[in-house]
Amino acid sequence: MKAARFHGRGDIRIDEVPDPQVGPGQVEVAVDWCGICGTDLHEFLEGPIFIPAAGAPHPITGETLPVVMGHEFAGVVSAVGSGVTGVSEGDRVAVEPYCVCGKCPACQAGRYNICRSLGFVGLAGQQGGFAERCVVDAQWVHSLGDLTTDIGALVEPLAVGYHAVRLSGLREGGTAAVFGGGPIGLVTAACLRAAGAGKVIVVEPAAARKAKAEIAGADVVLDPTQTDVPDAIRDLTRGAGADVAFECAGIDAVLATAIGSVRPGGTVVNVAIWGYVPQVAVNDLVFSEINLIGSLAYCGDHADTIALLADGTVDAAQFITGRIGLDDLVSGGFRELIGNKEENVKILVSPRDVLA
C-alpha cells in the first residue's frame, strides 16, 4: 500500500510499504482522511523530535525512522481481529492514536496520556494515518455514528482543546482568554464556547486568524500589537482579569502576558508544546497565587468530543481549509501550511483518494 514516511529532516516520501496485518484485539482502518498537525510540521522542519532517530528505537514500538506519519485520522473499519467486540467492518471510526505501556504509575492511575513511555501512532511507529490502511488496538477506535469521516479526522485536535478546557476547571459563565489563534487556539475557543464560557477572548495579531477566531466562538479578539492585553482583559472583566487563560503559542512573552491577564487565584493552562526551554517569572505566579498547569493531548475525551460534533454544539467543518491527495502531501500540504499558515487551519489528506 501507499504511505507517507519520514526519512529525516525535510525528507518525507510516498513509499510502497507492506500491507498491515490484523492481530488479536486489533482493528484495521481504511483511512479516508488524515489532518496535518503542527507537530508534523515541526518534525518536517526540525526533526526527528518525537520520531525515534536511528539507533534510538521507541521503547514500545521498537521502531526507528523511517516511520509512517499522520495521527489525526478517521476512516472505515476494513477488518476486525479475533476477540474484538463492539465494532464491525464498515463502521466509521476515529482513532485515538496512542502507544502506551499500560504498566507505569500514570497508566495504572488511568492517566495514560502521560505514560512514561508515551508514543503516538504516526510518530513513534506502529504505522500512521498518512497511509491507505492502519492497524490499531481496538481500545483506541471510537465510533463516529452518523458523522462523516472528514469531520472524524478533526476529533483528535478538538479533543486536545476539550481536554485543556476540562483541566482548567472553568465554571459555566466564567471568562476565558485564549492566547494564539492557530489551529489549537481556535479549537480551544470552540470548546470553551461549548462548555458554557460566559466570555471567550482570543489574543492574536494576524488578521486572517483574528477573523477565524470570531467564527470559532470568540466574543472579543484582541491584537497584542495594538493594545495592552492584560489591561484590556481587566477592562472587560470589571477589573478582575480572566478566570482562565490558555497559552497556545509557546512564546515567552505570550506566557507572561497570559499570567498577567488572569485574576488573583486564576489558572493558566499551557497547551503549547515548546521548542525551547522557556523563561517564567515565577514571582508573578507566587504573588497572585496563580495556578500554572500543563495539558497534554487527551485522556478519555474522544467520546465527549464526538458527542459535541454529533449534536452540532461544535461546527468542525469551519476548520477545514483544504483537501488534498496523499501524493500532494509535501507540496500541497506541508509547504502550504508552512508558507501560508495564517490562511490555513486544517488541511485534510486523503490516502485512498476519496476526495469529494
Side-chain angles (χ1 to χ4, degrees), residues 120-338:
F120 289 85
V121 173
L123 289 170
Q126 195 174 312
Q127 307 170 64
F130 291 140
E132 295 179 75
R133 292 178 298 283
C134 182
V135 170
V136 296
D137 290 344
Q139 64 176 314
W140 304 123
V141 170
H142 300 271
S143 174
L144 291 172
D146 294 329
L147 288 175
T148 56
T149 50
D150 56 346
I151 299 302
L154 295 172
V155 170
E156 195 271 356
L158 279 164
V160 173
Y162 182 88
H163 182 73
V165 171
R166 182 165 65 81
L167 282 186
S168 76
L170 181 72
R171 295 180 181 178
E172 187 171 354
T175 298
V178 179
F179 288 80
I184 293 302
L186 293 175
V187 298
T188 299
C191 290
L192 283 163
R193 175 60 59 219
K199 185 172 301 218
V200 178
I201 304 163
V202 172
V203 181
E204 170 60 47
R209 288 183 170 184
K210 287 191 288 187
K212 290 181 174 69
E214 293 176 354
I215 299 170
D219 297 296
V220 179
V221 181
L222 299 176
D223 186 333
T225 66
Q226 298 179 1
T227 187
D228 184 297
V229 171
D231 283 349
I233 290 177
R234 282 188 285 271
D235 288 344
L236 291 165
T237 55
R238 299 180 180 179
D243 297 302
V244 179
F246 297 82
E247 208 292 348
C248 301
I251 299 171
D252 282 348
V254 176
L255 177 58
T257 305
I259 292 170
S261 297
V262 295
R263 61 172 172 77
T267 297
V268 176
V269 183
N270 183 88
V271 190
I273 298 294
W274 292 67
Y276 61 94
V277 179
Q279 293 185 341
V280 181
V282 176
N283 280 347
D284 290 345
L285 301 173
V286 174
F287 293 157
S288 293
E289 293 195 344
I290 303 299
N291 303 292
L292 175 60
I293 62 175
S295 178
L296 178 63
Y298 28 76
C299 182
D301 299 295
H302 273 56
D304 288 342
T305 302
I306 290 169
L308 291 177
L309 294 169
D311 66 15
T313 303
V314 173
D315 173 19
Q318 64 181 297
F319 301 120
I320 301 173
T321 52
R323 300 169 188 261
I324 60 175
L326 188 64
D327 290 336
D328 198 25
L329 175 66
V330 175
S331 60
F334 279 65
R335 297 202 182 280
E336 169 65 20
L337 287 168
I338 292 165

